[in-house]
Amino acid sequence: MLFYGYVGLLMLAGGWGVVFGRVDQSLLLDLELDDLPRRTQANVMSQYRFLRALELGFGLWAFVYRDEIHRRRPHNRLFLFTMGSGVTGRLLSLRFDGSPSPAMYAFLAWELAGVPVIYADTRRTLASE
């Protein structure tokens, strides 16, 4: 169940961020883009929409290949590596960038719990190959 919640959130947040990136920046990150120079706004939004599109793409990939992720080792390893890389990025940010908002801690907690839970769950299905 955690797998589907995570994948669903990837698709929802990714798609939302691509289409409504400026609103997302304000609501999620408390960033008012209008306070930045116009070129900086364009740079931030270009990168933000790009990263959100990757998030959407990873979520769609994981949904389409959900059976393979649960049964085939290469798909499973790629999924867990990508999820773990995101967790590592958040932990590095805590260390080097400081304390984020409560929402970011909630995402970190969910993802941090998700890696070992999904790993354990998929180990059972991989072992039955």
Side-chain angles (χ1 to χ4, degrees), residues 67-88:
D67 291 336
E68 288 84 350
I69 289 167
H70 285 83
R71 293 190 178 94
R72 299 190 63 221
R73 192 163 265 103
H75 290 80
N76 181 267
R77 287 183 178 156
L78 178 59
F79 176 83
L80 290 171
F81 171 79
T82 304
M83 190 175 186
S85 294
V87 170
T88 301

Short mmCIF file of all heavy atoms in Angstrom, two decimals, residues 67-88:
data_model
loop_
_atom_site.label_atom_id
_atom_site.label_comp_id
_atom_site.label_asym_id
_atom_site.label_seq_id
_atom_site.Cartn_x
_atom_site.Cartn_y
_atom_site.Cartn_z
N ASP A 67 4.39 -4.26 -11.56
CA ASP A 67 4.58 -5.71 -11.43
C ASP A 67 6.05 -6.07 -11.56
O ASP A 67 6.56 -6.91 -10.80
CB ASP A 67 3.76 -6.46 -12.48
CG ASP A 67 2.27 -6.36 -12.23
OD1 ASP A 67 1.86 -6.12 -11.07
OD2 ASP A 67 1.50 -6.52 -13.20
N GLU A 68 6.74 -5.45 -12.50
CA GLU A 68 8.17 -5.72 -12.68
C GLU A 68 8.98 -5.26 -11.47
O GLU A 68 9.93 -5.92 -11.06
CB GLU A 68 8.69 -5.04 -13.95
CG GLU A 68 8.22 -5.70 -15.23
CD GLU A 68 6.84 -5.23 -15.71
OE1 GLU A 68 6.13 -4.52 -14.97
OE2 GLU A 68 6.47 -5.59 -16.83
N ILE A 69 8.60 -4.13 -10.88
CA ILE A 69 9.29 -3.62 -9.69
C ILE A 69 9.16 -4.62 -8.54
O ILE A 69 10.09 -4.80 -7.76
CB ILE A 69 8.76 -2.23 -9.30
CG1 ILE A 69 9.22 -1.20 -10.33
CG2 ILE A 69 9.20 -1.83 -7.90
CD1 ILE A 69 8.52 0.15 -10.23
N HIS A 70 8.02 -5.27 -8.46
CA HIS A 70 7.80 -6.24 -7.39
C HIS A 70 8.34 -7.63 -7.71
O HIS A 70 8.47 -8.47 -6.81
CB HIS A 70 6.30 -6.33 -7.07
CG HIS A 70 5.82 -5.16 -6.29
ND1 HIS A 70 5.46 -3.97 -6.88
CD2 HIS A 70 5.67 -4.98 -4.96
CE1 HIS A 70 5.09 -3.12 -5.95
NE2 HIS A 70 5.21 -3.70 -4.78
N ARG A 71 8.68 -7.89 -8.96
CA ARG A 71 9.08 -9.25 -9.33
C ARG A 71 10.45 -9.37 -10.00
O ARG A 71 11.05 -10.42 -9.94
CB ARG A 71 8.03 -9.85 -10.26
CG ARG A 71 6.72 -10.08 -9.55
CD ARG A 71 5.76 -10.90 -10.40
NE ARG A 71 4.55 -11.14 -9.66
CZ ARG A 71 3.46 -10.40 -9.72
NH1 ARG A 71 3.42 -9.34 -10.51
NH2 ARG A 71 2.39 -10.69 -9.01
N ARG A 72 10.93 -8.30 -10.62
CA ARG A 72 12.19 -8.38 -11.37
C ARG A 72 13.26 -7.52 -10.72
O ARG A 72 13.06 -6.34 -10.50
CB ARG A 72 11.96 -7.96 -12.82
CG ARG A 72 10.93 -8.89 -13.51
CD ARG A 72 10.82 -8.71 -14.99
NE ARG A 72 12.09 -9.05 -15.61
CZ ARG A 72 12.62 -8.35 -16.62
NH1 ARG A 72 12.00 -7.29 -17.10
NH2 ARG A 72 13.76 -8.71 -17.14
N ARG A 73 14.35 -8.15 -10.43
CA ARG A 73 15.43 -7.50 -9.69
C ARG A 73 15.93 -6.18 -10.32
O ARG A 73 16.08 -5.19 -9.60
CB ARG A 73 16.58 -8.49 -9.50
CG ARG A 73 17.60 -8.02 -8.51
CD ARG A 73 18.50 -9.16 -8.03
NE ARG A 73 17.95 -9.67 -6.77
CZ ARG A 73 17.25 -10.79 -6.62
NH1 ARG A 73 17.02 -11.57 -7.64
NH2 ARG A 73 16.81 -11.17 -5.45
N PRO A 74 16.18 -6.09 -11.63
CA PRO A 74 16.67 -4.81 -12.18
C PRO A 74 15.69 -3.64 -11.98
O PRO A 74 16.10 -2.54 -11.63
CB PRO A 74 16.88 -5.10 -13.67
CG PRO A 74 17.01 -6.58 -13.77
CD PRO A 74 16.16 -7.15 -12.66
N HIS A 75 14.42 -3.89 -12.19
CA HIS A 75 13.41 -2.85 -11.99
C HIS A 75 13.34 -2.48 -10.50
O HIS A 75 13.24 -1.31 -10.15
CB HIS A 75 12.04 -3.32 -12.47
CG HIS A 75 11.93 -3.45 -13.95
ND1 HIS A 75 12.42 -4.52 -14.64
CD2 HIS A 75 11.39 -2.62 -14.88
CE1 HIS A 75 12.18 -4.36 -15.93
NE2 HIS A 75 11.56 -3.21 -16.10
N ASN A 76 13.36 -3.48 -9.66
CA ASN A 76 13.30 -3.28 -8.22
C ASN A 76 14.48 -2.44 -7.73
O ASN A 76 14.32 -1.48 -6.98
CB ASN A 76 13.27 -4.64 -7.51
CG ASN A 76 13.18 -4.51 -6.02
OD1 ASN A 76 14.21 -4.51 -5.34
ND2 ASN A 76 11.97 -4.40 -5.51
N ARG A 77 15.66 -2.78 -8.18
CA ARG A 77 16.85 -2.05 -7.76
C ARG A 77 16.82 -0.60 -8.24
O ARG A 77 17.22 0.31 -7.52
CB ARG A 77 18.11 -2.75 -8.25
CG ARG A 77 18.38 -4.02 -7.46
CD ARG A 77 19.65 -4.67 -7.91
NE ARG A 77 19.90 -5.86 -7.09
CZ ARG A 77 20.63 -6.87 -7.48
NH1 ARG A 77 21.20 -6.87 -8.67
NH2 ARG A 77 20.82 -7.89 -6.68
N LEU A 78 16.39 -0.39 -9.47
CA LEU A 78 16.31 0.98 -9.99
C LEU A 78 15.31 1.80 -9.18
O LEU A 78 15.58 2.95 -8.81
CB LEU A 78 15.94 0.99 -11.47
CG LEU A 78 15.79 2.38 -12.10
CD1 LEU A 78 17.09 3.17 -11.99
CD2 LEU A 78 15.35 2.25 -13.55
N PHE A 79 14.14 1.23 -8.91
CA PHE A 79 13.13 1.94 -8.13
C PHE A 79 13.66 2.30 -6.75
O PHE A 79 13.59 3.45 -6.31
CB PHE A 79 11.85 1.11 -8.01
CG PHE A 79 10.82 1.77 -7.14
CD1 PHE A 79 9.98 2.74 -7.68
CD2 PHE A 79 10.70 1.44 -5.81
CE1 PHE A 79 9.05 3.38 -6.87
CE2 PHE A 79 9.76 2.07 -5.00
CZ PHE A 79 8.94 3.04 -5.53
N LEU A 80 14.20 1.30 -6.04
CA LEU A 80 14.70 1.55 -4.68
C LEU A 80 15.90 2.49 -4.67
O LEU A 80 16.04 3.32 -3.76
CB LEU A 80 15.03 0.23 -3.99
CG LEU A 80 13.80 -0.62 -3.64
CD1 LEU A 80 14.24 -2.00 -3.16
CD2 LEU A 80 12.93 0.07 -2.61
N PHE A 81 16.77 2.39 -5.66
CA PHE A 81 17.91 3.31 -5.75
C PHE A 81 17.42 4.74 -5.94
O PHE A 81 17.90 5.67 -5.28
CB PHE A 81 18.83 2.92 -6.91
CG PHE A 81 19.89 3.95 -7.19
CD1 PHE A 81 21.02 4.02 -6.40
CD2 PHE A 81 19.72 4.85 -8.22
CE1 PHE A 81 21.98 4.99 -6.64
CE2 PHE A 81 20.67 5.83 -8.46
CZ PHE A 81 21.81 5.90 -7.67
N THR A 82 16.44 4.93 -6.82
CA THR A 82 15.93 6.27 -7.08
C THR A 82 15.24 6.84 -5.84
O THR A 82 15.46 7.99 -5.45
CB THR A 82 14.98 6.27 -8.28
OG1 THR A 82 15.67 5.71 -9.41
CG2 THR A 82 14.50 7.66 -8.62
N MET A 83 14.42 6.02 -5.20
CA MET A 83 13.75 6.47 -3.98
C MET A 83 14.78 6.77 -2.89
O MET A 83 14.70 7.80 -2.20
CB MET A 83 12.76 5.40 -3.50
CG MET A 83 11.86 5.85 -2.40
SD MET A 83 10.65 4.56 -2.02
CE MET A 83 9.64 5.41 -0.83
N GLY A 84 15.75 5.90 -2.72
CA GLY A 84 16.81 6.11 -1.73
C GLY A 84 17.65 7.34 -2.04
O GLY A 84 18.10 8.04 -1.13
N SER A 85 17.87 7.62 -3.31
CA SER A 85 18.62 8.82 -3.70
C SER A 85 17.87 10.08 -3.28
O SER A 85 18.48 11.06 -2.84
CB SER A 85 18.87 8.84 -5.20
OG SER A 85 19.72 7.79 -5.57
N GLY A 86 16.57 10.06 -3.43
CA GLY A 86 15.76 11.19 -2.98
C GLY A 86 15.87 11.40 -1.48
O GLY A 86 16.01 12.53 -1.00
N VAL A 87 15.83 10.31 -0.73
CA VAL A 87 15.98 10.39 0.73
C VAL A 87 17.36 10.94 1.07
O VAL A 87 17.50 11.82 1.93
CB VAL A 87 15.76 9.01 1.38
CG1 VAL A 87 16.16 9.03 2.85
CG2 VAL A 87 14.30 8.58 1.23
N THR A 88 18.38 10.45 0.39
CA THR A 88 19.74 10.93 0.63
C THR A 88 19.84 12.43 0.35
O THR A 88 20.46 13.17 1.13
CB THR A 88 20.75 10.15 -0.24
OG1 THR A 88 20.65 8.77 0.09
CG2 THR A 88 22.16 10.64 -0.03
#
